[in-house]
Amino acid sequence: MTDKQSEHILVVDDDARIRQMLIRYFEDEGYRVTAVANGTAMHAELAKTDFTAIFLDLVLPGGQNGLQLVREVRANSDVPILMLTGRDDVTDKVVGLEVGADDYIAKPFHLREVLARLRTVLRRRQPAERPAGPQAGDEGVLEFDGWQLHIHRRKLTDPSGKDKALTTGEFDMLLVFARNPGRVLSRETLMDLTRSRNLEAFDRTIDAQIARLRRKIEQDPKNPTIIQSVRGIGYVFTGGGH
């Protein structure tokens, strides 16, 4: 992990007590912290600062919805987002992960757990260790259907050479597929290989993540040719690569 002094956390929560509590705790842990009370202020901060991660409340004042704010952030950025909510509801948790959040933390929470989850999300952004021996993509780039997956840079470029934004989870998922072409992968296997167990992943969140990937890399997401479903088992990556 990089030096924590270079890691800048954005907290978005309308509860001043929670903002101050997280500011004090993360600053004591060596992080820089900015805290705001609503989505408007969040967008203003994102426009001028590159943050390491965002803690975002699910319910904000003025009719603002945390899930919609996640969608808006994801339209332009793959910064890790950890949702905060006082509603410990499975549906909320699944929907939050579906729209692009990296983790979901229910209030009231223990500060040590919040820190542990942040560290886990940030670790997942680092390239995964690979077994010794020759493997596809040892040069650092995996190619398929004109796309290039830059392993060490953790970037995806489209056939025209433009960067395509991926969330941490989406990148991990696509990397697993690209490293296992032609292999049918069950949802359980995908959770293991992408290290999603720590996110309390569900079958539905795996499906939603793959649906988001298809919208980004398939010419026709409703009739995918790169990531195909195998009924009753899981998915198979059929993108032509070398």
Side-chain angles (χ1 to χ4, degrees):
M1 190 180 296
T2 58
D3 178 14
K4 285 189 291 187
Q5 289 297 326
S6 67
E7 294 177 347
H8 195 167
I9 309 302
L10 176 62
V11 175
V12 186
D13 197 301
D14 64 313
D15 190 324
R17 294 171 301 174
I18 289 178
R19 293 199 304 273
Q20 290 303 314
M21 178 176 64
L22 290 175
I23 288 172
R24 287 195 300 268
Y25 185 74
F26 280 118
E27 286 184 344
D28 286 345
E29 290 294 325
Y31 295 88
R32 290 185 293 154
V33 186
T34 296
V36 297
N38 55 60
T40 300
M42 178 195 76
H43 282 303
E45 291 295 334
L46 290 174
K48 62 185 181 182
T49 304
D50 290 328
F51 289 96
T52 304
I54 301 172
F55 286 91
L56 175 60
D57 193 14
L58 179 65
V59 180
L60 292 168
Q64 293 179 312
N65 182 291
L67 298 178
Q68 180 58 37
L69 291 175
V70 172
R71 293 187 182 96
E72 293 170 4
V73 172
R74 282 290 171 257
N76 302 298
S77 172
D78 63 351
V79 60
I81 300 174
L82 297 90
M83 299 292 296
L84 301 174
T85 178
R87 290 157 34 186
D88 190 11
D89 184 272
V90 170
T91 300
D92 286 338
K93 182 180 296 186
V94 171
V95 172
L97 296 173
E98 283 181 349
V99 298
D102 292 272
D103 204 350
Y104 185 106
I105 304 171
K107 301 174 185 178
F109 46 72
H110 293 286
L111 289 170
R112 286 185 179 180
E113 178 190 6
V114 174
L115 178 61
R117 286 177 176 264
L118 171 65
R119 287 173 172 169
T120 296
V121 167
L122 296 182
R123 277 198 303 270
R124 292 181 67 238
R125 294 181 65 82
Q126 304 302 316
E129 293 184 5
R130 290 178 288 167
Q135 296 187 36
D138 274 344
E139 73 285 0
V141 179
L142 292 172
E143 299 185 20
F144 60 93
D145 291 12
W147 294 82
Q148 291 189 329
L149 192 64
H150 301 266
I151 299 170
H152 304 299
R153 292 172 49 213
R154 293 185 67 84
K155 295 290 184 182
L156 176 68
T157 54
D158 67 18
S160 70
K162 295 180 181 178
D163 284 349
K164 191 74 172 180
L166 295 178
T167 67
T168 300
E170 290 167 358
F171 182 92
D172 291 342
M173 183 73 70
L174 185 56
L175 182 57
V176 166
F177 277 125
R179 282 182 169 160
N180 293 275
R183 177 185 171 189
V184 178
L185 302 172
S186 67
R187 293 172 180 81
E188 184 174 84
T189 297
L190 288 169
M191 283 190 282
D192 287 334
L193 293 178
T194 58
R195 295 166 288 168
S196 294
R197 292 293 185 188
N198 58 324
L199 296 184
E200 301 177 43
F202 303 90
D203 285 356
R204 182 176 163 188
T205 64
I206 294 294
D207 293 341
Q209 199 166 70
I210 290 172
R212 292 201 307 271
L213 265 179
R214 284 171 168 168
R215 288 195 291 272
K216 293 181 177 182
I217 66 175
E218 299 276 5
Q219 288 190 349
D220 182 0
K222 294 183 179 180
N223 296 286
T225 60
I226 299 175
I227 302 176
Q228 297 187 357
S229 300
V230 180
R231 187 172 182 179
I233 302 178
Y235 298 91
V236 60
F237 185 82
T238 58
H242 60 277

